[in-house]
Amino acid sequence: MTLAKSIYLAGTAVVALAMADPAAAQSNDAEVEALRAEVSALKAQLAELSAKVEKVAAAPAPQPAPAPEKKPDSKPAPEITFKGAAEIKGDGGWTFKPRGRLHYDTGYVGLPGDYAANRNLGFNSRVRRVRLGAEGTMPGGFGYKVEADFANSAVNFGDVFLSYSPVNAPLIVRVGNFETLNGMEQISSSNNNSFLERAAFNDAFLNSRRLGAALAWHSGNDDWRAEAGLFAAHSIDSTFDNDGYIGAARLVYAPKALGGQLHFGLGYQHREFASNGGIAGVNTPSTGQVARYRARPNTQLTDVRFVDTGNFAAKSDRIIGAEIAGVFKGLYFVGEGQWLKADAYRAGDRATGLDAFSGGNVAVTPTGDPSYFGAYGEIGFFLTGETRGYRRGEGIWTRTKVLNPLNKGGSGAFQIAARVDHIDLDDAALKNGLTNNFTTGIGSLAALPGRLGRGGSQTSYLLGLNWYPIDYIRFMINYGRIQVNGGPVASLVDPLSTVPVDRQSYGTDLFQARMQIEF
């Protein structure tokens, strides 16, 4: 019951009592006075409540309570940037970036002299590389890189490794499939070399990736890098019985001097060949205890080799390499050389059981340990002002940054380059070697023309023009004049010549082009 209604009912009761019997009213004076007192108290309460209601009505309306402040997410959203492909960076050191490349080559290799019956010379086209993969980092100083190559309807592998770099320590450990520390141009990505193909000695000496582990140290200012590694004598494959191995080391000094960037490098490899009787693996430096060194004419558009030692029996080889380079704004130069010496078997040696040689246990045995040499020198210039990319701390070529790309209204980058490339596979110890029967230990001398055709030397004079419309696309044109002395093809180029095979010389021309996309 409300307070107002209570007052009304009390008042009504008082009036009713007054209008009733007077005697009864007088007798109940005490009760009436009590009711009046109660009514007065109720009126006072009503007045007090009315004042409070008016005060509340006059006060401003209460504001709603503020919403609780949203706490920031403890795991921020990954950062995505675009550098040829999307690169994702997450919290704690996680990164991921897909990578790939497409190299499509076309060109012409001239037919020297009468050597015109070979269908693998002349015009050809080839998808040189189709690679897809990914690279990135993980918390704790770990990194990774994985690449598969699908060129020529086959699957092979590029770099596949895990790396580790301790925090605040100038060390890098790599375990997996990667280059065996075998020279600046070979270690640098094919995306960043100036000519379509690497130097001929890399082809001849079978420099490539193999399974293994390496430890590198670099100075705080990246002037010095030293690295050593131990590898199996094969790449990723399905073999189990390859017991060969490779020990390798490389030292680089890369100071900033003379207003530019200099590079000096030394390398060494000892390659112990696998035993006979096994299954030849991928990228092995030999086929069992049989060595063979040969090189294409600076192109992969043919399988013809004008210089080729042929097979001979050997246990191992060792390679010493030297590197020099300089980058001065748009101008650069580079040169490398490698010397190889094989540890060959001798006539009279024997091999039985699993150590026997295939083909009747017979193989060529030199009269000494053959030695071979290859080198190149290159000079180039960016007509549009770019500087050739070089990575200090690793001693390799990297991507060149285009100053005025096509997509920003520029003309892209233009590079010109010239190179002299020489490979010498001529050695008297091999040409005078005997064909040894490893069962009996008896050797025999092969016919003179065949022996003189072992090896040969090749010198290539190359010119290159490269156009980079943007950072990740390149169009390349190479012209080469190839001069050959001796070798297994010399007698076929001029079959009527009376000059000894190893003194015959001939030449041919090379023209090739490449479309390159990489990210």
Side-chain angles (χ1 to χ4, degrees), residues 8-69:
Y8 170 76
L9 292 175
T12 303
V14 171
V15 172
L17 288 172
M19 294 176 65
D21 183 8
Q26 290 179 357
S27 64
N28 292 309
D29 284 342
E31 294 180 8
V32 171
E33 288 301 325
L35 287 172
R36 286 176 177 173
E38 184 177 349
V39 169
S40 297
L42 291 172
K43 286 181 177 181
Q45 291 182 20
L46 179 61
E48 183 181 354
L49 289 174
S50 296
K52 290 183 178 180
V53 169
E54 292 176 359
K55 185 177 180 181
V56 170
Q63 299 296 321
E69 184 179 355

Side-chain angles (χ1 to χ4, degrees), residues 66-115:
E69 184 179 355
K70 186 178 180 180
K71 295 182 179 179
D73 192 348
S74 59
K75 293 184 178 180
E79 175 188 350
I80 300 178
T81 57
F82 205 88
K83 298 177 180 179
E87 182 176 23
I88 304 172
K89 295 182 179 180
D91 186 44
W94 288 98
T95 65
F96 174 84
K97 183 180 182 295
R99 56 182 293 123
R101 72 188 72 177
L102 169 63
H103 295 177
Y104 174 73
D105 296 355
T106 187
Y108 179 86
V109 183
L111 285 71
D114 292 336
Y115 192 60

Side-chain angles (χ1 to χ4, degrees), residues 104 120 124 126 165 175 184 216 247 406 428:
Y104 174 73
N120 291 340
N124 201 356
R126 184 183 185 190
S165 182
V175 179
M184 183 182 188
L406 212 61

Side-chain angles (χ1 to χ4, degrees), residues 304-358:
V304 174
R305 279 83 164 183
F306 298 130
V307 288
D308 186 345
T309 64
N311 294 334
F312 65 93
K315 305 169 186 176
S316 64
D317 65 17
R318 51 196 179 276
I319 300 173
I320 297 174
E323 314 162 15
I324 184 171
V327 181
F328 302 92
K329 296 184 179 179
L331 178 70
Y332 72 90
F333 69 87
V334 59
E336 290 187 74
Q338 288 192 357
W339 294 261
L340 181 148
K341 193 173 188 66
D343 180 14
Y345 283 86
R346 299 290 189 271
D349 288 345
R350 297 192 179 194
T352 58
L354 294 177
D355 295 326
F357 289 81
S358 61

